[in-house]
Amino acid sequence: MFHSLIKGSIILAIIFSAALLAAFIYAYEEVKLDADKLINYKPEISSVIMDKDGNRLAYVFKKQHRLYATYDELPSFVVEGLVAMEDTKFFEHSGVNPDAIFRAIIKDIQAGAFVEGGSTLTQQLIKNKLLSSEKKLARKMKEAILALKIENELSKEEIIERYLNEISYGNNYFGIKTAANGYFHKELNELTMKEAAILVGLPNAPSFYNPIKHYQRALDRANNVLYRMKSIGWITKEDYLKAVKESPTVYQTSLTQNIAPYIVDEVVRRFNGKLGDIRTGGYKIYTTVDMKQQEIAKKAVTFAYEKALNKYKEKVGKTTLNAALVAVESKTGNILAMVGGESYERSAFNRVTQTERQPGSAFKPFIYQTALDMGYNPATPLTDLARTFQYYYKGKRKIWAPRNYERDFKGFVSFREALVHSRNLATINLVADLGVSTIRKRLAFLDVPHIPRDMSIALGNLGLSPLKMAQIFSVFANSGHMIEPRLVSKIVSKEGAVIYETRPKEIADFTTPEQAYLMTSVLQDVVKRGTGRNARVEGIELAGKTGTTNNSIDAWFCGYSPEIEVIVWFGRDDNRRIASRGATGGGLAAPAFSYYFRELLKVYPDTKRTFDIPEGVYRGSYEGESEIYTKHSPLPTVKPKDEYGFNESMDIPADANETGIIPVEDTDIVEVINYDEPSGDDIGYAETIDIDGEESGETEEDDPLHPKRKVPKTPVSEDSGTLF
């Protein structure tokens, strides 16, 4: 009987052990997927966006701000302090410490509850990453099984590395490298022993020991860490006494502070999705931004904006008026500064990149450059008379009747003076002479979108963003060579590999350097004595063009120095007119431009100050006036005749309406275009010109003053975009 009981007990024990072993094996396999999250550890790692000099603009992250540190980056006393406090036998056990568990069980029995866990560092890592912190037997069993699995797959160093990168250090700092940067503004290899001890003591209760809020508690906790290290002989008494006396500086400024929000938002907007989630990939993103110039740009916008508000008696935060500025290095296309609005806090919408507005007269230089490249010269006389233009739309006759802002006419005005004073009628007549289709074909080489198919092209009737204006304006600022502005120079992966480099889109030799200089010379006069006088800066040559759209809805100044191009825009976010009168590019946008360059010269006194004159540019005389010319754009040889019989003293006809436009019969529209600064009172008229044949290829007889010439054609470079 006795032997039967023993035999039965043995059989039951074997069955129970087998069942327990089977359950363990089943559980071991069940947790395999959980263990994989630590074995193939891929935490969310913050990306950092930097300026051109490698200075941080901002960290970007999704939920957890984490900078990753490899085991080799960890100072020895960080590892020693952690092991001393949390798991002294870490390098000896296999993931579970039986002695610690036994001690914990005794304390739990004595207390009648789970008060001590007896967890190893491996188990703590599992609890933080995979399981809840709830103290239940089932969770503890699973934790132990996972610990054995993890220890079998990873080295002790890999476990330490994952632990110190995974846990929270408070203040939204995940990982010890993040905490070192945040609390002490130091890299790990720069930490003192006391600073390391503060960090080692934090994970136990991050809020309670937060050194920003509870500095003395953090010091006391750190001293306990140091004492423990000394008591087990891991640091000397001398090191201990020195470290205990130290009171490290703790910084309260947020590590996640964004010092260039419009730029950071634009980077994330451009690249998020192309490289996965850019906020969690641990990338180093190098921008082209110069933070010194970024600060200048912000102040320039604020200066001009406050000036505008004072002028119109409006208050900050209670107006729809806004402004934007972008500065680009002409030769490289590098965006040096970008201010997307007067205040990021009031509106994160980036008006440099996310809006399209009419450039108005700021678009005129492209018309005039087309003329130069067809043989016109800055001295060429242009017709400055009011014409009406007839065309047909859906079989119905239309009349377009624009006028000068000044409501006067000059009869004839030189090419230079027409652009310097932004003469609308001279520009419109120039377009009529060149042909709309000719200009459209030329502009197509610059990738200009939405090019009008009618005469309104003369007055910038199309939508362009300030960044796009910077791109196409580079043909003047960069000696005839267009280059697409770039914001990011390269992106480096968390492994240190360059995975992205920009190569901006370029259009080589849209025009020649000497032809582009003809335009620069004219645009310099715009600044010196024309509509852009408010853009002048003493001690540096500047060129540019004002732009004011119909009804004063948009105001621009687009200009450049010998090295840097700056585009400024003013307007209302609701597209209403800025003001009933006087809201011009010269009055609103040009002051921001001049402020920018005045401050630039203070910060960078070695800035290039004069434009280079290319070979092939000559100086001569026409009608007693000095003028420059090239072989392609010689001085005029034909003196203009007053073919319409008008002169500058002619009065406005009696039958003109109050807008200064003669009523035209059988039409649907009579348009009045108001652009740029006023200077007179008279207006003149001429015959109606039929422009309906421009797109159909019809041609007019050659005018000896404005002969038709072949349009220069240069292939567009397809070499653009990125390298992976």
Side-chain angles (χ1 to χ4, degrees):
M1 183 74 176
F2 180 73
H3 292 292
S4 297
L5 286 173
I6 294 175
K7 186 177 181 180
S9 298
I10 292 172
I11 292 172
L12 285 174
I14 292 172
I15 293 172
F16 178 78
S17 299
L20 187 63
L21 180 62
F24 184 86
I25 293 172
Y26 175 78
Y28 190 86
E29 291 300 318
E30 189 182 47
V31 300
K32 186 176 181 180
L33 290 177
D34 285 335
D36 189 65
K37 294 177 183 177
L38 277 175
I39 295 168
N40 298 304
Y41 184 53
K42 295 179 180 178
E44 292 186 358
I45 303 175
S46 303
S47 293
V48 58
I49 300 175
M50 293 173 283
D51 70 4
K52 71 180 185 65
D53 297 318
N55 300 311
R56 185 178 71 244
L57 302 182
Y59 288 113
V60 291
F61 55 93
K62 194 171 184 179
K63 294 179 180 178
Q64 298 181 346
H65 177 35
R66 176 182 288 105
L67 305 178
Y68 197 85
T70 64
Y71 186 84
D72 291 339
E73 291 181 71
L74 301 171
S76 60
F77 46 76
V78 166
V79 176
E80 291 165 355
L82 174 67
V83 173
M85 289 298 291
E86 301 294 335
D87 188 359
T88 309
K89 294 187 176 181
F90 172 72
F91 287 98
E92 300 170 23
H93 62 64
S94 299
V96 178
N97 187 342
D99 292 341
I101 293 174
F102 183 72
R103 287 195 303 270
I105 290 173
I106 293 175
K107 289 186 178 180
D108 291 344
I109 292 172
Q110 291 173 343
F114 287 108
V115 295
E116 186 169 323
S119 295
T120 63
L121 275 176
T122 309
Q123 290 173 290
Q124 290 181 41
L125 171 61
I126 291 166
K127 181 180 67 176
N128 274 284
K129 179 65 177 175
L130 304 177
L131 305 176
S132 69
S133 58
E134 192 177 10
K135 293 182 178 180
K136 287 186 176 180
L137 183 60
R139 196 271 296 169
K140 295 294 291 182
M141 287 181 65
K142 189 174 183 180
E143 181 184 285
I145 295 170
L146 277 168
L148 294 171
K149 173 74 172 175
I150 296 298
E151 290 267 356
N152 187 54
E153 297 286 344
L154 299 176
S155 69
K156 292 290 186 179
E157 290 77 11
E158 288 172 328
I159 293 171
I160 288 284
E161 180 178 312
R162 284 157 174 72
Y163 181 94
L164 289 173
N165 280 292
E166 180 62 28
I167 56 177
S168 170
Y169 287 81
N171 215 40
N172 200 31
Y173 298 154
F174 286 84
I176 194 166
K177 185 174 183 177
T178 321
N181 273 258
Y183 290 125
F184 305 119
H185 290 190
K186 290 183 177 182
E187 295 300 323
L188 289 171
N189 61 357
E190 299 171 330
L191 292 175
T192 65
M193 190 177 292
K194 183 63 166 284
E195 290 166 342
I198 290 175
L199 297 180
V200 166
L202 266 172
N204 185 264
S207 296
F208 188 79
Y209 293 120
N210 187 316
I212 294 176
K213 298 178 181 178
H214 309 293
Y215 185 69
Q216 190 55 50
R217 285 183 197 169
L219 292 183
D220 292 343
R221 172 69 173 167
N223 289 341
N224 289 339
V225 173
L226 294 167
Y227 181 80
R228 173 65 176 162
M229 293 173 71
K230 179 184 76 71
S231 65
I232 59 179
W234 288 1
I235 61 173
T236 66
K237 182 179 180 181
E238 290 74 17
D239 288 338
Y240 167 74
L241 292 175
K242 180 181 178 182
V244 165
K245 294 177 183 178
E246 184 187 348
S247 297
T249 299
V250 176
Y251 292 89
Q252 298 187 24
T253 54
S254 173
L255 185 62
T256 58
Q257 183 180 8
N258 188 338
I259 62 175
Y262 282 116
I263 292 165
V264 170
D265 280 7
E266 184 64 22
V267 170
V268 173
R269 186 164 42 246
R270 289 188 183 192
F271 291 96
N272 210 24
K274 294 181 179 179
L275 302 172
D277 192 335
I278 201 168
R279 299 168 299 171
T280 62
Y283 300 106
K284 289 183 178 180
I285 304 167
Y286 293 86
T287 71
T288 60
V289 173
D290 178 346
M291 277 309 297
K292 292 180 181 178
Q293 294 197 52
Q294 179 69 14
E295 286 300 312
I296 293 172
K298 287 168 60 178
K299 291 177 181 177
V301 169
T302 299
F303 167 78
Y305 184 75
E306 291 177 349
K307 185 177 180 180
L309 292 186
N310 290 335
K311 180 177 181 179
Y312 302 125
K313 295 180 171 53
E314 298 183 27
K315 294 183 179 179
V316 174
K318 297 182 178 181
T319 175
T320 59
L321 185 65
N322 224 302
L325 182 153
V326 60
V328 179
E329 188 174 45
S330 301
K331 289 192 179 300
T332 64
N334 289 343
I335 295 174
L336 301 172
M338 180 192 292
V339 181
E342 59 86 19
S343 169
Y344 181 85
E345 289 71 24
R346 282 186 282 273
S347 173
F349 183 73
N350 191 332
R351 293 152 190 85
V352 170
T353 62
Q354 293 182 284
T355 188
E356 291 184 348
R357 307 291 288 243
Q358 290 191 18
S361 293
F363 196 71
K364 287 179 180 176
F366 299 99
I367 309 295
Y368 282 74
Q369 187 67 54
T370 300
L372 288 173
D373 293 344
M374 292 179 67
Y376 285 64
N377 180 274
T380 301
L382 304 181
T383 305
D384 188 50
L385 293 171
R387 288 169 168 171
T388 55
F389 297 90
Q390 171 182 288
Y391 62 100
Y392 287 85
Y393 179 69
K394 294 183 179 180
K396 200 165 187 177
R397 191 165 76 105
K398 302 282 187 177
I399 297 293
W400 187 55
R403 66 175 173 86
N404 283 327
Y405 182 96
E406 301 88 341
R407 299 186 66 231
D408 69 346
F409 75 101
K410 300 294 186 183
F412 286 99
V413 62
S414 74
F415 178 109
R416 180 182 291 273
E417 295 306 305
L419 191 51
V420 165
H421 298 291
S422 201
R423 304 290 295 182
N424 289 333
L425 296 178
T427 305
I428 292 164
N429 287 317
L430 176 61
V431 171
D433 288 343
L434 298 174
V436 173
S437 60
T438 298
I439 296 169
R440 292 189 77 253
K441 290 174 185 176
R442 189 73 172 127
L443 293 177
F445 287 113
L446 290 180
D447 289 344
V448 177
H450 325 303
I451 307 172
R453 295 179 176 271
D454 54 43
M455 291 294 292
S456 65
I457 194 174
L459 303 178
N461 182 27
L462 71 165
L464 296 173
S465 69
L467 189 63
K468 188 65 175 181
M469 279 296 286
Q471 177 179 334
I472 62 177
F473 229 79
S474 67
V475 298
F476 312 127
N478 195 28
S479 302
H481 184 104
M482 192 203 82
I483 185 165
E484 183 181 27
R486 67 171 185 166
L487 182 59
V488 172
S489 58
K490 67 178 179 180
I491 298 178
V492 179
S493 71
K494 62 180 181 290
E495 292 82 15
V498 177
I499 60 169
Y500 177 98
E501 283 188 307
T502 52
R503 184 165 57 204
K505 183 174 186 177
E506 300 183 39
I507 297 177
D509 304 323
F510 174 80
T511 189
T512 63
E514 57 267 25
Q515 292 298 110
Y517 182 78
L518 295 180
M519 179 56 64
T520 292
S521 173
V522 175
L523 295 182
Q524 281 183 263
D525 274 353
V526 172
V527 174
K528 290 177 184 176
R529 56 185 179 81
T531 58
R533 293 183 297 276
N534 286 335
R536 289 177 296 187
V537 174
E538 191 70 28
I540 188 171
E541 292 183 350
L542 299 170
K545 183 68 186 74
T546 55
T548 312
T549 59
N550 199 22
N551 293 320
S552 299
I553 291 175
D554 297 287
W556 298 72
F557 190 83
C558 304
Y560 52 96
S561 73
E563 292 180 325
I564 297 172
E565 177 190 359
V566 175
I567 308 295
V568 183
W569 168 86
F570 267 76
R572 293 192 184 275
D573 288 332
D574 57 6
N575 284 314
R576 291 188 299 110
R577 68 192 309 171
I578 298 171
S580 59
R581 185 73 176 170
T584 65
L588 295 178
F593 179 91
S594 63
Y595 183 100
Y596 188 94
F597 280 100
R598 278 198 305 273
E599 296 304 309
L600 181 73
L601 294 182
K602 295 176 185 177
V603 175
Y604 295 109
D606 294 334
T607 296
K608 185 174 174 60
R609 302 188 181 216
T610 58
F611 290 103
D612 293 327
I613 302 176
E615 292 184 10
V617 176
Y618 312 99
R619 182 166 292 279
S621 178
Y622 176 74
E623 293 292 306
E625 297 290 334
S626 177
E627 186 54 88
I628 59 174
Y629 66 95
T630 66
K631 290 181 179 179
H632 192 76
S633 295
L635 293 169
T637 57
V638 180
K639 184 176 180 180
K641 58 182 178 180
D642 191 346
E643 54 189 305
Y644 302 112
F646 289 106
N647 57 62
E648 295 185 29
S649 63
M650 185 171 182
D651 295 328
I652 298 176
D655 60 346
N657 62 21
E658 63 181 5
T659 64
I661 298 297
I662 300 175
V664 182
E665 296 179 2
D666 300 324
T667 64
D668 291 338
I669 57 169
V670 175
E671 185 173 359
V672 178
I673 307 295
N674 296 335
Y675 279 59
D676 287 327
E677 288 74 0
S679 65
D681 296 312
D682 297 327
I683 188 166
Y685 306 92
E687 88 281 15
T688 298
I689 306 298
D690 189 344
I691 60 170
D692 195 51
E694 289 293 348
E695 289 299 307
S696 63
E698 296 178 14
T699 59
E700 301 173 11
E701 292 184 5
D702 274 359
D703 178 346
L705 186 63
H706 306 141
K708 300 296 180 184
R709 297 176 174 86
K710 184 179 180 181
V711 181
K713 294 184 178 181
T714 303
V716 178
S717 170
E718 297 297 336
D719 184 12
S720 63
T722 65
L723 291 173
F724 281 91

